[in-house]
Amino acid sequence: MTASPDLGSGAQPALPPLFPFAAIAGQPLLCQALLLAAIDPQLGGVLIEGPRGTAKSTAARALAELIDAAPFVTLPLGASLEHLAGSLDLGQAMAGHALKFAPGLLARAHGGVLYVDEINLLPDALVDVLLDAAASGVNVVERDGISHRHAARFVLVGTMNPEEGQLRPQLLDRLGLCVRLANVEDAAQRQAIVRARLLFDADPAAFRARHAGAQAALAAQLRTARERLQPAGALPWSDAVLQAAGALCIAAQVDGLRADLVLLRAARAWAAWLGDAEVRPDHVQAVAELVLVHRRKPGAPQPQPQQQQPSPQQAPSNPPSQSPAQSRPPAESTANGAGDSPPSEADWGAMPPEPVGLLRVAVPSLLAREAAKAGAPATKKA
């Protein structure tokens, strides 16, 4: 007979083992975006759009394990603004007649990962506070008679299913990177992903031991990349890099200059990940789709699809000369072979006009009556 756990002992239950980041397969864009956000948290976080079961939460939890002593904090949908940002400690105030700040989830997430599932269902006020802290690295609280500020440098990871609603464009623009996932259609890749998950569920310790070397290498490379961004003036960029970033943003018809700034920061983080001494235009190309996919105007031209590149785990040994970010494939030609561009999101559900044949019908009685009025003989039926 198995003994029941002692719930009154105060011991914390053991957390379930995490699926290792190094073992994630089939989602290279997702891995790249998360690593970029971990290298430079001030990018503004990562928005992951996609259907259920595409490794969104698995990857976010695995990322926290790569960062030294990083907490993983989840923001529930029912959280209040005080729960998120912090407020006055009422217990201390009533007991000692002193004002004391009670930290919230932003303070707990400092140095780690703040995960928000279904971020599109959060109230806009909470999303505003989240994005302000993620971009600035500081949380400022001024309410309940207190004014307090503290460091809140964390990697913001938000997920959403587009079928359940969209974020406002103003909020979308403030999220640094975006990944739009799709279901895995390749049969061999799908089987490999399922097989890896089954092996992990059967024996998590053995599975993690099998990927321990690759996991340690990723953690060390992430640590090095973060350190390379610390010195002032590290990884400079030339006018050619600024020109490449500006040209991409103009082609995407983005609003404002936030996209340019995020694109340059992301390219700098990617150069740090690859171990390069400076930012080059190919670094900009490598991260452009992650920065522009959620900012591009509906009528803006789509970038040409590029050849699939190695995942970020393989990047140090074989730095890519092109972007690993894959754009969406061009729309298929229409039925008439014209190959028109797909309609914008505002035209969802619209159907193109179709030619309709006209049938001319002759009514003898009507023709005779009209001919009599005109004083001409009626036309006989053929």
Side-chain angles (χ1 to χ4, degrees):
M1 181 176 180
T2 304
S4 59
D6 184 8
L7 298 180
S9 61
Q12 295 293 331
L15 296 176
L18 296 176
F19 192 89
F21 192 93
I24 297 176
Q27 302 291 2
L29 279 181
L30 175 60
C31 294
Q32 184 192 20
L34 291 175
L35 289 172
L36 289 174
I39 295 170
D40 186 0
Q42 290 187 329
L43 280 172
V46 180
L47 175 65
I48 309 174
E49 299 182 12
R52 297 173 293 275
T54 49
K56 298 189 295 291
S57 60
T58 299
R61 288 178 170 84
L63 177 69
E65 193 179 19
L66 292 180
I67 306 173
D68 296 333
F72 183 85
V73 179
T74 301
L75 176 63
L77 282 178
S80 64
L81 185 59
E82 290 76 15
H83 189 198
L84 173 65
S87 63
L88 178 67
D89 190 334
L90 295 179
Q92 292 288 337
M94 295 177 65
H97 304 286
L99 296 180
K100 185 177 179 181
F101 177 73
L105 294 179
L106 293 178
R108 291 175 51 192
H110 177 60
V113 176
L114 180 58
Y115 177 72
V116 186
D117 195 15
E118 306 295 349
I119 191 173
N120 53 321
L121 302 183
L122 281 179
D124 288 348
L126 266 67
V127 179
D128 282 330
V129 173
L130 270 175
L131 297 177
D132 285 341
S136 64
V138 178
N139 178 38
V140 180
V141 181
E142 293 183 353
R143 66 174 63 89
D144 297 330
I146 62 174
S147 178
H148 183 79
R149 57 190 298 134
H150 63 82
R153 185 181 174 89
F154 55 86
V155 181
L156 173 62
V157 180
T159 65
M160 59 174 283
N161 188 342
E163 297 177 354
E164 299 174 353
Q166 295 287 343
L167 279 169
R168 290 192 292 115
Q170 294 85 348
L171 298 178
L172 273 177
D173 184 51
R174 296 176 62 189
L175 285 159
L177 308 176
C178 179
V179 184
R180 290 179 175 172
L181 303 179
N183 291 314
V184 179
E185 303 293 343
D186 183 74
Q189 191 176 55
R190 195 180 185 95
Q191 293 172 14
I193 296 173
V194 172
R195 186 179 297 109
R197 185 68 204 191
L198 292 176
L199 290 174
F200 173 77
D201 292 339
D203 193 345
F207 187 86
R208 287 175 56 85
R210 191 177 304 119
H211 294 86
Q215 189 81 350
L218 276 178
Q221 186 178 355
L222 178 58
R223 188 183 313 112
T224 302
R226 288 163 66 102
E227 293 173 353
R228 297 191 70 228
L229 292 185
Q230 298 304 318
L235 280 76
W237 45 61
S238 61
D239 291 342
V241 173
L242 294 175
Q243 182 179 1
L248 288 170
C249 293
I250 292 174
Q253 301 178 11
V254 300
D255 291 327
L257 297 175
R258 182 177 283 116
D260 301 66
L261 298 174
V262 175
L263 184 53
L264 290 172
R265 293 190 73 110
R268 186 168 175 257
W270 187 242
W273 173 259
L274 297 179
D276 294 330
E278 62 179 5
V279 183
R280 302 189 305 268
D282 60 283
H283 297 138
V284 177
Q285 292 286 345
V287 301
E289 193 62 12
L290 296 174
V291 177
L292 301 176
V293 66
H294 58 305
R295 296 183 171 94
R296 183 179 290 112
K297 288 294 182 63
Q302 296 285 340
Q304 294 297 324
Q306 299 175 3
Q307 185 179 0
Q308 180 71 28
Q309 296 295 329
S311 63
Q313 290 90 328
Q314 302 171 342
S317 59
N318 186 19
S321 58
Q322 294 180 338
S323 167
Q326 299 299 308
S327 61
R328 292 184 176 180
E332 296 179 358
S333 299
T334 56
N336 59 7
D340 296 333
S341 59
S344 64
E345 294 180 1
D347 299 327
W348 185 88
M351 299 183 66
E354 297 182 359
V356 179
L358 298 178
L359 179 63
R360 188 179 300 275
V361 179
V363 182
S365 59
L366 180 60
L367 293 178
R369 190 163 50 252
E370 293 296 331
K373 292 179 181 180
T379 303
K380 295 182 177 181
K381 182 178 179 181

